[in-house]
Amino acid sequence: MPSPERGQPRSADPTPRSQRRLFFAAAGLLVAGDAVFWLMLAAVQTDSGLALLDGAVHNALVAGRSPLATGVLAAVSTVTSPGAMAAIGTAVALVWAVRARELWRPGLLLGAMAATFAASTFIKHQIGRGRPSAADFLMGPDDALSFPSGHTFGTGVFLLVLVYLLLGRSGPGRRSTAVLAFTGAALGTLLVAFSRLYLGYHWLTDVVASLGLAVAVTGLAILVDGLRAARRDPAGEAVPAVTVTPEAAAGTAAATPEVLPGTTEAAAPSRRLP
Protein backbone atom coordinates (compact mmCIF):
# COMPACT_ATOMS: atom_id res chain seq x y z
CA MET A 1 0.00 0.00 0.00
CA PRO A 2 1.37 3.48 -0.82
CA SER A 3 2.03 5.77 2.07
CA PRO A 4 -0.85 8.29 2.48
CA GLU A 5 1.64 11.11 2.85
CA ARG A 6 2.72 10.73 -0.78
CA GLY A 7 -0.59 12.02 -2.04
CA GLN A 8 -0.45 15.27 -0.06
CA PRO A 9 1.81 18.32 -0.44
CA ARG A 10 4.56 18.74 2.09
CA SER A 11 4.27 21.88 4.17
CA ALA A 12 6.96 24.49 3.72
CA ASP A 13 7.73 27.60 5.70
CA PRO A 14 7.02 30.55 3.35
CA THR A 15 9.44 32.74 5.32
CA PRO A 16 12.66 30.84 6.05
CA ARG A 17 14.83 31.99 8.90
CA SER A 18 17.31 33.78 6.62
CA GLN A 19 14.49 35.78 5.03
CA ARG A 20 13.06 36.73 8.41
CA ARG A 21 16.48 38.02 9.46
CA LEU A 22 16.63 40.01 6.24
CA PHE A 23 13.22 41.56 6.90
CA PHE A 24 14.16 42.49 10.46
CA ALA A 25 17.43 44.05 9.27
CA ALA A 26 15.63 46.04 6.57
CA ALA A 27 13.00 47.26 9.03
CA GLY A 28 15.71 48.21 11.52
CA LEU A 29 17.58 50.26 8.92
CA LEU A 30 14.38 51.96 7.79
CA VAL A 31 13.30 52.90 11.31
CA ALA A 32 16.78 53.97 12.44
CA GLY A 33 17.39 56.09 9.36
CA ASP A 34 14.02 57.79 9.66
CA ALA A 35 14.65 58.48 13.34
CA VAL A 36 17.99 60.17 12.60
CA PHE A 37 16.44 62.31 9.88
CA TRP A 38 13.51 63.48 11.99
CA LEU A 39 15.76 64.22 14.96
CA MET A 40 17.97 66.39 12.76
CA LEU A 41 14.96 68.15 11.27
CA ALA A 42 13.58 68.88 14.73
CA ALA A 43 16.98 70.18 15.83
CA VAL A 44 17.18 72.52 12.83
CA GLN A 45 13.66 73.85 13.23
CA THR A 46 14.02 74.45 16.97
CA ASP A 47 17.70 75.44 16.92
CA SER A 48 18.52 72.85 19.55
CA GLY A 49 20.35 69.56 19.95
CA LEU A 50 23.03 68.92 17.37
CA ALA A 51 22.14 72.15 15.55
CA LEU A 52 23.88 74.03 18.36
CA LEU A 53 27.18 72.65 17.04
CA ASP A 54 26.63 73.65 13.42
CA GLY A 55 28.43 76.98 13.66
CA ALA A 56 31.32 75.70 15.78
CA VAL A 57 32.02 72.74 13.48
CA HIS A 58 31.87 74.95 10.41
CA ASN A 59 34.28 77.52 11.84
CA ALA A 60 36.73 74.85 13.02
CA LEU A 61 36.89 73.21 9.60
CA VAL A 62 37.34 76.54 7.82
CA ALA A 63 40.18 77.45 10.14
CA GLY A 64 41.92 74.09 9.69
CA ARG A 65 42.03 73.95 5.89
CA SER A 66 45.18 72.90 4.03
CA PRO A 67 46.02 72.83 0.29
CA LEU A 68 46.38 69.04 0.17
CA ALA A 69 43.10 68.34 1.94
CA THR A 70 41.34 70.95 -0.16
CA GLY A 71 42.51 69.35 -3.41
CA VAL A 72 41.53 65.82 -2.37
CA LEU A 73 38.14 66.73 -0.93
CA ALA A 74 37.30 69.00 -3.86
CA ALA A 75 37.89 66.06 -6.20
CA VAL A 76 35.72 63.82 -4.02
CA SER A 77 32.93 66.40 -4.01
CA THR A 78 33.09 66.84 -7.80
CA VAL A 79 32.86 63.12 -8.51
CA THR A 80 29.95 62.62 -6.11
CA SER A 81 27.75 65.55 -7.16
CA PRO A 82 24.09 64.62 -7.79
CA GLY A 83 24.56 64.94 -11.55
CA ALA A 84 27.71 62.82 -11.54
CA MET A 85 26.12 60.16 -9.33
CA ALA A 86 23.09 60.00 -11.63
CA ALA A 87 25.39 59.39 -14.60
CA ILE A 88 27.49 56.84 -12.73
CA GLY A 89 24.43 54.99 -11.43
CA THR A 90 22.83 54.85 -14.87
CA ALA A 91 26.05 53.60 -16.49
CA VAL A 92 26.55 50.92 -13.83
CA ALA A 93 22.96 49.73 -14.15
CA LEU A 94 23.09 49.56 -17.95
CA VAL A 95 26.37 47.65 -18.03
CA TRP A 96 25.11 45.32 -15.30
CA ALA A 97 21.83 44.64 -17.13
CA VAL A 98 23.59 43.88 -20.42
CA ARG A 99 26.40 41.72 -19.02
CA ALA A 100 24.30 39.80 -16.50
CA ARG A 101 21.17 39.72 -18.69
CA GLU A 102 18.90 40.68 -15.85
CA LEU A 103 16.70 43.64 -15.07
CA TRP A 104 15.65 43.36 -11.43
CA ARG A 105 18.82 44.31 -9.55
CA PRO A 106 19.97 47.04 -11.96
CA GLY A 107 16.40 48.35 -12.01
CA LEU A 108 16.22 48.38 -8.23
CA LEU A 109 19.48 50.34 -8.07
CA LEU A 110 18.16 52.89 -10.55
CA GLY A 111 14.87 53.11 -8.68
CA ALA A 112 16.67 53.79 -5.40
CA MET A 113 18.74 56.52 -7.06
CA ALA A 114 15.67 58.12 -8.60
CA ALA A 115 13.84 58.04 -5.27
CA THR A 116 16.87 59.67 -3.64
CA PHE A 117 16.94 62.54 -6.11
CA ALA A 118 13.19 63.12 -5.81
CA ALA A 119 13.21 62.99 -2.00
CA SER A 120 16.23 65.30 -1.72
CA THR A 121 14.69 67.89 -4.05
CA PHE A 122 11.34 67.77 -2.25
CA ILE A 123 12.82 68.08 1.24
CA LYS A 124 15.13 70.92 0.23
CA HIS A 125 12.23 73.00 -1.03
CA GLN A 126 9.99 72.13 1.89
CA ILE A 127 12.57 73.06 4.55
CA GLY A 128 14.21 75.94 2.69
CA ARG A 129 17.34 76.11 4.81
CA GLY A 130 20.14 78.38 3.66
CA ARG A 131 23.76 77.37 3.28
CA PRO A 132 26.66 78.76 5.34
CA SER A 133 28.26 82.02 4.26
CA ALA A 134 29.27 82.05 0.58
CA ALA A 135 32.58 83.62 1.60
CA ASP A 136 33.62 80.20 2.93
CA PHE A 137 32.82 78.26 -0.26
CA LEU A 138 35.91 76.73 -1.86
CA MET A 139 34.41 75.60 -5.17
CA GLY A 140 32.54 78.65 -6.35
CA PRO A 141 29.02 79.90 -5.69
CA ASP A 142 26.13 77.55 -5.01
CA ASP A 143 22.68 78.99 -4.45
CA ALA A 144 20.95 75.64 -3.86
CA LEU A 145 19.32 74.95 -0.52
CA SER A 146 21.26 73.23 2.23
CA PHE A 147 19.10 70.65 4.00
CA PRO A 148 19.78 67.79 3.29
CA SER A 149 23.10 67.25 1.50
CA GLY A 150 22.41 65.84 -1.94
CA HIS A 151 26.02 64.67 -2.32
CA THR A 152 25.91 62.65 0.89
CA PHE A 153 22.41 61.29 0.34
CA GLY A 154 23.02 60.16 -3.24
CA THR A 155 26.44 58.64 -2.63
CA GLY A 156 25.25 56.77 0.44
CA VAL A 157 22.30 55.21 -1.37
CA PHE A 158 24.37 54.28 -4.42
CA LEU A 159 27.17 52.61 -2.45
CA LEU A 160 25.04 50.86 0.18
CA VAL A 161 22.36 49.58 -2.18
CA LEU A 162 24.96 48.47 -4.72
CA VAL A 163 26.88 46.49 -2.11
CA TYR A 164 23.67 44.88 -0.87
CA LEU A 165 22.56 43.86 -4.36
CA LEU A 166 25.97 42.38 -5.13
CA LEU A 167 26.84 40.73 -1.81
CA GLY A 168 24.06 41.24 0.72
CA ARG A 169 22.39 37.85 0.13
CA SER A 170 25.61 35.87 -0.28
CA GLY A 171 26.19 32.66 1.60
CA PRO A 172 28.21 32.16 4.78
CA GLY A 173 31.39 31.72 2.75
CA ARG A 174 31.20 35.30 1.48
CA ARG A 175 29.83 36.92 4.61
CA SER A 176 33.17 38.42 5.58
CA THR A 177 33.47 39.91 2.09
CA ALA A 178 30.03 41.47 2.45
CA VAL A 179 30.94 42.96 5.84
CA LEU A 180 34.10 44.51 4.41
CA ALA A 181 32.19 45.86 1.40
CA PHE A 182 29.51 47.45 3.59
CA THR A 183 32.22 48.97 5.77
CA GLY A 184 33.89 50.45 2.69
CA ALA A 185 30.56 51.85 1.48
CA ALA A 186 29.94 53.46 4.86
CA LEU A 187 33.42 54.97 4.97
CA GLY A 188 33.04 56.30 1.44
CA THR A 189 29.77 57.96 2.38
CA LEU A 190 31.33 59.51 5.48
CA LEU A 191 34.19 60.85 3.35
CA VAL A 192 31.72 62.60 1.05
CA ALA A 193 29.86 64.00 4.06
CA PHE A 194 33.10 65.35 5.50
CA SER A 195 34.05 66.90 2.17
CA ARG A 196 30.82 68.90 2.09
CA LEU A 197 31.49 70.20 5.58
CA TYR A 198 35.14 70.98 4.87
CA LEU A 199 34.43 72.81 1.63
CA GLY A 200 31.95 75.05 3.43
CA TYR A 201 28.70 74.13 1.69
CA HIS A 202 26.78 72.39 4.48
CA TRP A 203 26.07 72.42 8.18
CA LEU A 204 26.71 69.38 10.37
CA THR A 205 23.00 68.63 10.74
CA ASP A 206 22.61 68.68 6.93
CA VAL A 207 24.97 65.78 6.40
CA VAL A 208 23.82 63.81 9.45
CA ALA A 209 20.23 64.01 8.19
CA SER A 210 21.44 62.82 4.78
CA LEU A 211 23.18 59.85 6.36
CA GLY A 212 19.91 58.90 8.04
CA LEU A 213 18.01 59.22 4.77
CA ALA A 214 20.57 57.06 2.95
CA VAL A 215 20.23 54.33 5.59
CA ALA A 216 16.43 54.51 5.38
CA VAL A 217 16.34 54.22 1.58
CA THR A 218 18.79 51.31 1.76
CA GLY A 219 16.50 49.56 4.23
CA LEU A 220 13.55 50.14 1.92
CA ALA A 221 15.45 48.70 -1.05
CA ILE A 222 16.42 45.62 0.99
CA LEU A 223 12.80 45.16 2.06
CA VAL A 224 11.52 45.37 -1.52
CA ASP A 225 14.15 42.90 -2.74
CA GLY A 226 13.48 40.55 0.16
CA LEU A 227 9.73 40.52 -0.47
CA ARG A 228 10.31 39.67 -4.12
CA ALA A 229 12.76 36.92 -3.20
CA ALA A 230 10.29 35.45 -0.70
CA ARG A 231 7.65 35.16 -3.41
CA ARG A 232 10.06 33.58 -5.89
CA ASP A 233 12.18 31.39 -3.62
CA PRO A 234 11.50 27.68 -4.30
CA ALA A 235 12.17 26.92 -0.63
CA GLY A 236 9.07 28.88 0.26
CA GLU A 237 6.76 27.06 -2.17
CA ALA A 238 4.73 23.98 -1.46
CA VAL A 239 5.94 20.78 -3.15
CA PRO A 240 3.39 19.52 -5.70
CA ALA A 241 1.35 16.51 -4.66
CA VAL A 242 2.38 13.10 -6.04
CA THR A 243 -0.57 11.56 -7.87
CA VAL A 244 -0.84 7.78 -7.40
CA THR A 245 -2.82 6.16 -10.21
CA PRO A 246 -4.71 2.88 -9.73
CA GLU A 247 -2.30 1.14 -12.11
CA ALA A 248 0.70 2.32 -10.09
CA ALA A 249 -0.95 1.23 -6.85
CA ALA A 250 -1.70 -2.20 -8.29
CA GLY A 251 1.87 -2.54 -9.48
CA THR A 252 3.17 -1.60 -6.05
CA ALA A 253 0.92 -4.12 -4.35
CA ALA A 254 1.97 -6.85 -6.77
CA ALA A 255 5.63 -6.11 -6.14
CA THR A 256 5.21 -6.36 -2.34
CA PRO A 257 6.00 -9.87 -1.04
CA GLU A 258 3.27 -11.53 0.99
CA VAL A 259 4.07 -12.38 4.59
CA LEU A 260 2.69 -15.76 5.64
CA PRO A 261 0.70 -15.89 8.90
CA GLY A 262 2.81 -16.87 11.86
CA THR A 263 6.07 -16.16 10.10
CA THR A 264 8.39 -13.21 9.85
CA GLU A 265 9.66 -13.97 6.38
CA ALA A 266 8.03 -13.21 3.12
CA ALA A 267 6.96 -16.08 0.95
CA ALA A 268 8.71 -16.46 -2.36
CA PRO A 269 6.52 -15.58 -5.29
CA SER A 270 4.97 -18.69 -6.86
CA ARG A 271 5.91 -19.68 -10.37
CA ARG A 272 3.14 -20.41 -12.79
CA LEU A 273 3.67 -23.62 -14.76
CA PRO A 274 3.38 -23.31 -18.49
Side-chain angles (χ1 to χ4, degrees):
M1 295 292 293
S3 174
E5 287 80 3
R6 295 188 61 187
Q8 299 178 357
R10 290 181 295 177
S11 61
D13 186 359
T15 54
R17 183 177 299 176
S18 61
Q19 291 178 350
R20 289 197 295 268
R21 287 199 298 265
L22 186 69
F23 293 151
F24 280 124
L29 291 175
L30 184 58
V31 172
D34 276 342
V36 170
F37 168 75
W38 288 109
L39 284 173
M40 293 303 101
L41 179 59
V44 169
Q45 292 182 331
T46 60
D47 195 22
S48 61
L50 197 63
L52 297 176
L53 299 177
D54 280 342
V57 171
H58 174 78
N59 294 333
L61 290 174
V62 169
R65 288 169 174 170
S66 68
L68 177 60
T70 298
V72 172
L73 295 176
V76 169
S77 185
T78 300
V79 173
T80 57
S81 66
M85 290 308 302
I88 293 172
T90 301
V92 169
L94 288 176
V95 172
W96 190 356
V98 171
R99 291 180 63 89
R101 296 183 180 181
E102 70 165 303
L103 294 177
W104 171 251
R105 289 186 295 171
L108 183 57
L109 178 62
L110 277 181
M113 296 292 293
T116 297
F117 178 78
S120 178
T121 303
F122 176 78
I123 295 171
K124 280 179 180 289
H125 286 88
Q126 289 296 312
I127 304 305
R129 190 186 196 190
R131 292 186 183 275
S133 172
D136 295 329
F137 293 173
L138 287 182
M139 297 179 63
D142 190 340
D143 58 356
L145 298 171
S146 185
F147 185 95
S149 167
H151 286 67
T152 307
F153 191 8
T155 303
V157 169
F158 174 75
L159 293 178
L160 293 173
V161 173
L162 179 62
V163 169
Y164 164 74
L165 293 175
L166 290 174
L167 299 171
R169 303 187 70 206
S170 58
R174 302 181 65 185
R175 191 165 297 166
S176 58
T177 303
V179 171
L180 290 175
F182 275 114
T183 303
L187 292 176
T189 305
L190 290 174
L191 177 62
V192 175
F194 180 75
S195 74
R196 301 306 290 165
L197 293 173
Y198 177 91
L199 296 171
Y201 290 91
H202 282 286
W203 305 107
L204 176 63
T205 44
D206 296 340
V207 299
V208 174
S210 297
L211 293 173
L213 287 172
V215 170
V217 172
T218 301
L220 183 60
I222 294 174
L223 184 62
V224 170
D225 184 61
L227 289 173
R228 178 180 182 270
R231 295 182 61 184
R232 294 171 59 89
D233 190 357
E237 298 176 1
V239 179
V242 178
T243 303
V244 181
T245 62
E247 291 80 2
T252 303
T256 304
E258 182 181 359
V259 180
L260 298 177
T263 65
T264 59
E265 297 182 354
S270 61
R271 295 184 178 180
R272 180 176 298 176
L273 296 177

